Amino acid sequence: MRRMRSPSHTVPALAAACVLALSACSGPDQDAPQAPEPSAISPDTVVLCQESDDCGQAGAVRWSRPLQGGFYLDRPQGFEHAPYLQPAGHWLDYGVPPTGAVEDDGVLYLHDVDTITAVDTATAATLWTEPVGVAVDELRMVGATLVALPAPVRGEVAPPRFLEVDREGAHMLESDLPQDMGAKVLASDDTHLALQESLPGTSDEDPRHFLVEAATGRVEWSVRLAWAGSHAVDEGTLYLGHSPLEGRHHIIAVRDGEQVADLDLPEEAGRRSDLWPSLAGPLLVEPYSCAPVEEHCEEDRITAVDPADGEVLWTHTALGNIVSVSDGDEPRVYVRDEDGYQALDADTGQVLAQDDEIEPSELLAAFGAQRPEPSEGMDEQDYNLLPFSPTGPGVEERPLEGLAAGAHHLTSYLAPDGGAVGVYTGCAPDGLRPPAMDAPVGDPMCAEPRVFAVDY
């Protein structure tokens, strides 16, 4: 999700703090607000659930650890949404992304501006840190390779970084991508990454598309292709879905830089669709942004087509969206629809299991968190401490009051006991500091930044 920099970044710090309706500036005759109580993430050290004997309990903090560096609470869309942590040293650097993470095989890879830190999810201990030379917008595991996707800070562009990683350290691979080219990731599978070069808005050229082998950083092929609205990669083939306002809606398949198929988009999936590959199985076409509550696409359905000739193989019976797709001898498609979570046979669309019959490992992408909208007239302290509620299959959406200020969900992973765990950044509630004249930014500072994990 693209985040917009708060308007306060263009005015002096004291002015930014005082002109806002939710300002914490107070005169000498006004009482300072009472400091919030500490929470489970307040200790300035590693905290583990074994210490409180609540591992695996819903809403319990599995682990917490300090987040290094100075941070403040940024409000990404004016002052309409709750804040999240941002690095104070980059307050005026438009485009610096918030901290993010991805987990793989018991290791959490955490990016903070231009540095990646590997954290053991069992002990919350640091395994290693690695600077990558660019501000990181996102981390992505492609097979066993960690791919760092750069953010275009101050207009600077760079191609992705490819890293061989394990618990012992990281080794940067040399890619043959053009080093002066900005690119966005279109899609990836377990072996390859599809990229599209970023062109200026005034360009009338088709962008170059690259298929890169992640394990080596090597470009397998590149070709100029027309802009497309949806993309998927499957065993070296790039699929691009075209849904123009006028004209034919279709999917093209490109292998080795050559177009090998041109398929009609199925009418059942609607006019705008996302593509999902199913290894050695059908190509899945999902109605764009169609959750069970979306009325504008209530007639659209998830549809499977033969990637060779575009024949419709099956159409799901209910409005819904795809959560994940599994491979193996019996590939499955996991969806969420008006009846809950369903496991479908990828070849036939038959419902094989639903809800608690499905392992959390297949639905990890559905575990997240949400926060309530701030109410009108809410004071700044309450505003900053808006609770978050973990969400996901079978999760009771109970607000976690007072746990963290500016809690931001980074990723989810499986605990050794098979339960889902959510990872967050946030400020210990007793570590918030109001805006001040001598502060480096015009927003509330966080003296106690944390990375922590909560059991679903």
Side-chain angles (χ1 to χ4, degrees):
M1 178 179 66
R2 180 60 54 195
R3 296 174 176 85
M4 297 179 63
R5 180 62 63 189
S6 164
S8 65
H9 292 253
T10 59
V11 295
L14 183 61
C18 294
V19 299
L20 305 173
L22 298 175
S23 172
C25 293
S26 58
D29 298 330
Q30 293 177 292
D31 294 332
Q34 184 177 358
E37 293 293 324
S39 73
I41 69 167
S42 288
D44 191 19
T45 184
V46 170
V47 175
L48 300 176
C49 60
Q50 290 86 346
E51 299 168 2
S52 52
D53 197 29
D54 58 0
C55 300
Q57 296 181 21
V61 174
R62 179 166 285 262
W63 55 261
S64 172
R65 52 174 279 150
L67 184 63
Q68 301 302 315
F71 291 83
Y72 69 100
L73 293 189
D74 184 25
R75 297 178 179 89
Q77 298 180 23
F79 293 86
E80 301 173 359
H81 297 278
Y84 59 84
L85 291 186
Q86 281 284 67
H90 295 268
W91 189 55
L92 296 178
D93 286 343
Y94 178 81
V96 171
T99 299
V102 65
E103 187 272 348
D104 183 64
D105 197 23
V107 179
L108 180 77
Y109 300 100
L110 186 77
H111 71 79
D112 177 19
V113 189
D114 60 354
T115 300
I116 298 172
T117 301
V119 177
D120 188 323
T121 58
T123 65
T126 299
L127 299 173
W128 49 261
T129 60
E130 180 75 20
V132 294
V134 293
V136 179
D137 187 47
E138 178 191 348
L139 294 177
R140 182 180 299 210
M141 291 300 305
V142 182
T145 304
L146 181 65
V147 182
L149 309 176
V153 179
R154 296 185 298 274
E156 298 177 1
V157 296
R161 297 326 199 225
F162 299 86
L163 297 96
E164 291 180 342
V165 293
D166 57 26
R167 301 179 70 86
E168 304 303 319
H171 170 67
M172 191 89 69
L173 302 171
E174 288 193 15
S175 171
D176 55 1
L177 282 164
Q179 294 302 300
D180 59 350
M181 180 194 74
K184 71 173 183 177
V185 175
L186 301 179
S188 62
D189 59 10
D190 288 340
T191 58
H192 290 83
L193 199 70
L195 305 175
Q196 175 184 282
E197 74 170 321
S198 300
L199 294 176
T202 55
S203 175
D204 57 1
E205 285 188 300
D206 288 334
R208 286 177 294 174
H209 290 63
F210 298 81
L211 190 73
V212 183
E213 183 182 47
T216 63
R218 181 177 63 86
V219 175
E220 292 201 351
W221 54 259
S222 67
V223 64
R224 291 194 180 275
L225 297 167
W227 301 86
S230 55
H231 316 83
V233 173
D234 188 15
E235 294 191 305
T237 299
L238 172 62
Y239 296 94
L240 301 101
H242 297 271
S243 301
L245 293 176
E246 297 181 359
R248 177 171 168 256
H249 294 220
H250 63 118
I251 304 167
I252 68 168
V254 180
R255 177 179 284 275
D256 297 329
E258 300 289 338
Q259 181 174 316
V260 295
D262 187 346
L263 318 171
D264 287 333
L265 267 168
E267 295 182 2
E268 294 89 336
R271 294 184 61 83
R272 298 185 64 194
S273 305
D274 288 327
L275 303 178
W276 289 71
S278 174
L279 186 64
L283 181 66
L284 304 167
V285 186
E286 174 193 36
Y288 182 76
S289 296
C290 276
V293 296
E294 298 289 345
E295 295 182 357
H296 70 275
C297 51
E298 61 184 5
E299 299 299 323
D300 300 340
R301 297 291 183 267
I302 297 167
T303 304
V305 300
D306 187 320
D309 57 17
E311 177 190 358
V312 173
L313 302 176
W314 55 263
T315 299
H316 190 47
T317 56
L319 172 64
N321 61 285
I322 297 174
V323 176
S324 66
V325 179
S326 71
D327 301 324
D329 295 335
E330 298 179 344
R332 301 284 182 263
V333 181
Y334 298 92
V335 306
R336 177 176 177 256
D337 61 25
E338 57 197 16
D339 295 321
Y341 292 91
Q342 314 271 358
L344 312 181
D345 185 304
D347 294 323
T348 66
Q350 178 185 359
V351 176
L352 302 175
Q354 59 186 20
D355 294 330
D356 57 3
E357 299 172 342
I358 305 172
E359 293 295 328
S361 59
E362 307 294 355
L363 300 174
L364 265 182
F367 288 92
Q370 64 182 18
R371 290 183 296 195
E373 295 294 323
S375 59
E376 185 176 356
M378 179 181 289
D379 67 49
E380 185 173 28
Q381 179 169 288
D382 290 339
Y383 183 76
N384 288 333
L385 290 168
L386 280 174
F388 69 96
S389 299
T391 61
V395 177
E396 185 177 346
E397 296 182 15
R398 293 180 297 186
L400 299 182
E401 300 279 356
L403 180 61
H408 178 57
H409 180 262
L410 305 184
T411 190
S412 298
Y413 67 91
L414 284 182
D417 59 10
V421 180
V423 181
Y424 304 81
T425 53
C427 188
D430 52 334
L432 278 177
R433 303 293 182 263
M437 182 177 292
D438 59 350
V441 301
D443 289 309
M445 287 294 297
C446 176
E448 305 290 344
R450 301 288 184 263
V451 181
F452 60 98
V454 175
D455 280 291
Y456 281 97

